[in-house]
Amino acid sequence: MFDSLLFDLMLVILIGMLSQWIAWKYRMPAIVVMALAGLLVGPVFGLINPQESMGDLFGPIITFAVAIILFEGSLNLDVREIKGFSKPVGRIVTIGAFIAWIAGSLAAHYLAGLSWEVAFIIGGLFIVTGPTVILPLLRQARLKPRPAAILKWEGIVVDPFGALLAVFAFEFIKFINAEVTLKSLLLFFAASAFAVLLGWFAALFIGNSFERGSIPEFLKAPILFVVVLFTFVFADEIMHETGLLAVTAMGMKMANMRLTTLADVRHFKENISVLLISGIFVMLTASLDPKILIEIFNPAIMLYVAAMLFVVRPLSIWISTIGTDLNVREKLLIGWIAPRGIVALTVSGYFAGILLENGYKDAELLTALTFALVLSTVVLHGFSIGFIAKKLNLTTTDESGVAIIGGTRFAAELAQSIKDTGNEVLLIDQSWAALADARRRGVDSYIGDILSEQIEYHIDLTPYRYMLAMTKTDLYNAHICADFEPDLGRDHLFQTAFHVGKDVEAFTVVGGQTLFSPSISIYSLEERMHAGHVIRKTLITKQYSYTQYLRERDDKSILLYLLRADGSIEFFTPNVELQANAGDAVLALSSPAKTIERVKERLEGENGDSDIPYEKLEELFTEDSSEGKRDIPGEAPKSNGNSK
């Protein structure tokens, strides 16, 4: 359309971001949307061809993008995160990866017709199962914790090493073919060791600089960006292809330095990485030759993809997990789910150019082969994971776990009441101090931003069916609900009522459902907590109906949620009228006056003393409520006219 490099760059970035948004909006794998968009503007309609328009810049841009993507992935390799299931993960990422490499290489040679050299290189690359595609699938399927955790951490751990294995395979093959001497091969390994040390020292330098406050906040992201690129280029100039190893080592070191300022680089990781991933993926697909695109339907390539799906992956998982505590159902699921993602496609394009330069003509098929495998695995695994997980009874759809966003006294009290019902609960806030009440009550908590893309690298959200946005920033609550709507559905997203102050006239943001009945802001809830209000649990029986409860309850009480007889939870909202049956329980935030009356009625029934000073009751009640005690006398309602 326009013969302009500037236009091509703008269009690539625009299409990439639009694809990400469409994928989020309609709950589709982003890689599929980006692939289709790149194919439409590139080979199909011929609007752009980034490789032609960028010329010599195309290769360095791809190379830099791969370095940053690998650094971003390795920055999540915190060894603390795999405690408890380290044995199966360790087996899968070592023995399983080796088996997948050898079996995949054999399939590439005998089925796809690639030379041994190219087959072993691409076989090493295809061991990856990227977290950028596996995490959305896990959210969609809501797997049980163990298989979900194994799949997630396999993707994170193996992702950076697929490219490195391909590099080592490339150098070793050159040695076998006498293209390099043993001295050159040893020099390569020495240079690789130097790259690891370089990445290690770079991580120490930048990490300690962050910790000491030597770098101001506004310079942290750009300086980290520069250091990553410098580390990559410096190592690569000393020995080609070792730059990837250097940035991976840098990321792994930073991930395990226990940096308190690691959260400060999240904007770098999320904004830069998402932008590059989107743009680079569109560039690669838009630059495909139509002939290569047609080559995807080559019977040999299709046979290779089928072998990778139904033979190589299951074989590597079953053999590598012998002797672990994984059951047959878990092995079946893990052996099927292995979507390849953006790293596989970007790195394969990177190696295709290198191999072609070294005279390997069959490397022309690498992009088509990779694209066929990526698209097949993402589509097939994306549409089948939920169905297969349900059939294998590996889903958590029947649980009523609750994730509460916002660390307040009321939130901690609500979380403890949910925990007491036997349901999973997690309290999340960006402030350590805000979670003090939760820690004191023994409620699980996490310090971080729920809107961070990296949140799922650190905590498993699959057990939580409901999400309650209860921070003191109304717009932030609305954004949380909007962001998680594609994953949880609006029926499972709630937020506290908007706080309308004297300087605020109206809000127009539509978020989740408004919490509680009647609706109330988190500010008002906090005021009530400080005034002595407590969460009371009332059992509904045949003698004491829900209608009677509503008639007799305190007018100032706030209905919070219903605890069904089967242990599930349903939250009250102003717009939906819930009905409770015998065996259910109502949990409400009740005023101290009503609670004191209940206490007095019970004590009078037990002692026959009607002259208990009201002030004494109030004093005792205040002491109990300040300590977080909710099991107070009079908690259970009178069911048959006799109160104990």
Side-chain angles (χ1 to χ4, degrees):
M1 183 180 292
F2 298 100
D3 188 14
S4 167
L5 175 59
L6 187 62
F7 175 80
D8 287 357
L9 286 173
M10 178 277 298
L11 192 58
V12 163
I13 296 173
L14 177 63
I15 292 173
M17 290 297 97
L18 185 60
S19 300
Q20 291 275 8
W21 180 84
I22 291 174
W24 165 82
K25 183 68 175 178
Y26 297 102
R27 304 182 67 180
M28 299 173 62
I31 193 170
V32 174
V33 181
M34 288 187 290
L36 293 176
L39 292 175
L40 289 175
V41 299
V44 176
F45 295 110
L47 297 179
I48 59 173
N49 188 323
Q51 187 169 10
E52 290 183 359
S53 59
M54 295 180 186
D56 293 338
L57 288 176
F58 186 81
I61 291 175
I62 297 293
T63 303
F64 277 161
V66 171
I68 294 171
I69 291 170
L70 288 180
F71 171 75
E72 189 271 340
S74 58
L75 197 57
N76 295 288
L77 298 180
D78 190 340
V79 295
R80 295 173 298 179
E81 302 293 336
I82 58 174
K83 290 181 179 179
F85 50 89
S86 57
K87 185 176 181 179
V89 170
R91 292 279 192 88
I92 290 172
V93 302
T94 53
I95 299 174
F98 179 78
I99 295 172
W101 176 33
I102 300 301
S105 301
L106 293 173
H109 176 71
Y110 288 108
L111 299 179
L114 298 179
S115 63
W116 280 114
E117 295 84 354
V118 177
F120 270 98
I121 291 171
I122 203 65
L125 176 60
F126 284 164
I127 68 171
V128 301
T129 59
T132 56
V133 288
I134 196 67
L135 291 179
L137 297 187
L138 296 180
R139 285 200 306 266
Q140 169 191 336
R142 299 188 61 80
L143 300 182
K144 288 184 177 179
R146 188 162 68 169
I150 291 174
L151 285 170
K152 180 178 74 171
W153 286 104
E154 180 201 5
I156 294 174
V157 173
V158 174
D159 201 46
F161 292 104
L164 301 178
L165 185 57
V167 171
F168 286 121
F170 179 58
E171 291 298 321
F172 186 74
I173 285 169
K174 288 198 296 183
F175 169 72
I176 295 297
N177 291 337
E179 296 178 22
V180 296
T181 62
L182 178 60
K183 180 179 178 181
S184 298
L185 183 63
L186 294 176
L187 183 62
F188 173 78
F189 283 106
S192 299
F194 171 78
V196 172
L197 291 175
L198 178 63
W200 190 79
F201 279 112
L204 282 179
F205 168 75
I206 198 72
N208 291 331
S209 298
F210 283 177
E211 290 291 276
R212 293 194 304 266
S214 303
I215 301 175
E217 193 69 30
F218 73 99
L219 286 180
K220 284 183 177 179
I223 287 180
L224 180 61
F225 181 79
V226 170
V227 171
V228 170
L229 293 183
F230 170 80
T231 303
F232 171 78
V233 173
F234 189 73
D236 207 61
E237 287 296 316
I238 293 177
M239 177 65 71
H240 286 302
E241 328 314 338
T242 60
L244 298 176
L245 183 58
V247 295
T248 301
M250 178 180 174
M252 290 182 64
K253 177 61 179 176
M254 290 187 67
N256 291 277
M257 286 177 66
R258 313 294 189 259
L259 298 176
T260 59
T261 58
L262 191 59
D264 296 331
V265 304
R266 283 177 179 164
H267 289 298
F268 162 78
K269 291 185 355 176
E270 293 171 14
N271 298 336
I272 299 298
S273 296
V274 170
L275 184 64
L276 284 176
I277 286 172
S278 305
I280 295 306
F281 198 80
V282 173
M283 284 174 58
L284 287 171
T285 52
S287 300
L288 283 177
D289 190 317
K291 295 180 181 178
I292 295 179
L293 191 60
I294 296 174
E295 193 69 27
I296 291 176
F297 300 99
N298 185 320
I301 291 181
M302 297 175 68
L303 187 61
Y304 168 77
V305 171
M308 293 293 290
L309 287 171
F310 300 106
V311 179
V312 175
R313 172 65 177 182
L315 182 69
S316 65
I317 295 299
W318 278 84
I319 294 178
S320 64
T321 55
I322 293 174
T324 66
D325 57 352
L326 293 184
N327 57 47
V328 174
R329 293 179 292 109
E330 290 171 330
K331 290 182 180 181
L332 284 172
L333 181 66
I334 297 172
W336 167 243
I337 302 300
R340 273 66 170 187
I342 292 172
V343 170
L345 192 59
T346 53
V347 177
S348 71
Y350 172 74
F351 274 104
I354 294 177
L355 291 170
L356 286 172
E357 291 177 1
N358 284 268
Y360 296 97
K361 299 300 182 181
D362 53 338
E364 294 179 351
L365 290 178
L366 285 189
T367 303
L369 192 71
T370 309
F371 186 77
L373 183 62
V374 167
L375 195 59
S376 299
T377 54
V378 169
V379 172
L380 291 176
H381 295 162
F383 285 103
S384 66
I385 184 172
F387 173 78
I388 293 177
K390 288 181 181 179
K391 290 296 182 181
L392 295 174
N393 194 27
L394 292 175
T395 60
T396 60
T397 54
D398 295 331
E399 296 187 6
S400 297
V402 182
I404 301 175
I405 318 302
T408 60
R409 180 178 173 183
F410 171 78
E413 189 78 12
L414 178 66
Q416 186 176 2
S417 76
I418 295 173
K419 179 182 178 182
D420 292 343
T421 68
N423 286 290
E424 294 280 345
V425 65
L426 178 68
L427 194 56
I428 302 174
D429 196 279
Q430 299 183 58
S431 168
W432 171 267
L435 296 171
D437 283 328
R439 291 193 298 272
R440 186 168 62 251
R441 288 173 167 82
V443 174
D444 291 338
S445 60
Y446 175 78
I447 305 171
D449 182 4
I450 190 63
L451 292 181
S452 167
E453 184 193 4
Q454 305 299 319
I455 192 76
E456 294 182 53
Y457 287 102
H458 305 290
I459 58 175
D460 181 14
L461 293 174
T462 54
Y464 307 105
R465 185 183 183 190
Y466 297 105
M467 184 171 290
L468 314 183
M470 299 171 54
T471 73
K472 293 185 177 180
T473 305
D474 294 322
L475 294 179
Y476 183 68
N477 293 339
H479 286 310
I480 291 172
C481 295
D483 194 63
F484 280 89
E485 183 175 358
D487 300 317
L488 298 178
R490 195 169 187 272
D491 291 343
H492 297 152
L493 289 164
F494 302 87
Q495 65 184 97
T496 47
F498 288 108
H499 175 66
V500 182
K502 61 181 181 180
D503 298 327
V504 181
E505 295 183 357
F507 289 97
T508 58
V509 176
V510 177
Q513 300 181 79
T514 304
L515 271 171
F516 311 138
S517 179
S519 61
I520 185 171
S521 71
I522 189 63
Y523 292 93
S524 299
L525 288 168
E526 283 293 277
E527 290 174 0
R528 295 197 180 201
M529 292 299 298
H530 289 292
H533 291 225
V534 294
I535 296 177
R536 297 185 66 249
K537 176 182 177 182
T538 304
L539 182 65
I540 302 302
T541 65
K542 292 181 179 180
Q543 293 77 21
Y544 189 81
S545 67
Y546 181 56
T547 303
Q548 184 180 354
Y549 167 78
L550 293 177
R551 185 172 61 250
E552 295 181 358
R553 75 185 180 97
D554 182 10
D555 294 338
K556 295 182 179 179
S557 66
I558 304 296
L559 299 177
L560 303 179
Y561 63 90
L562 277 179
L563 176 63
R564 296 296 186 183
D566 61 0
S568 62
I569 287 176
E570 293 183 42
F571 288 94
F572 283 100
T573 66
N575 301 323
V576 178
E577 186 176 347
L578 298 179
Q579 295 296 325
N581 303 312
D584 297 340
V586 182
L587 284 96
L589 185 66
S590 301
S591 66
K594 188 68 176 180
T595 305
I596 291 172
E597 291 178 8
R598 296 282 181 133
V599 174
K600 188 172 183 178
E601 288 176 4
R602 171 172 288 190
L603 292 178
E604 287 175 352
E606 291 178 349
N607 304 325
D609 185 2
S610 60
D611 296 325
I612 302 174
Y614 186 89
E615 293 77 8
K616 181 62 176 177
L617 287 170
E618 184 176 16
E619 178 183 345
L620 292 173
F621 170 75
T622 304
E623 291 176 358
D624 279 347
S625 64
S626 66
E627 295 176 4
K629 298 179 180 178
R630 298 185 313 285
D631 296 331
I632 58 176
E635 181 175 336
K638 294 181 291 184
S639 59
N640 56 7
N642 296 321
S643 176
K644 289 186 178 181

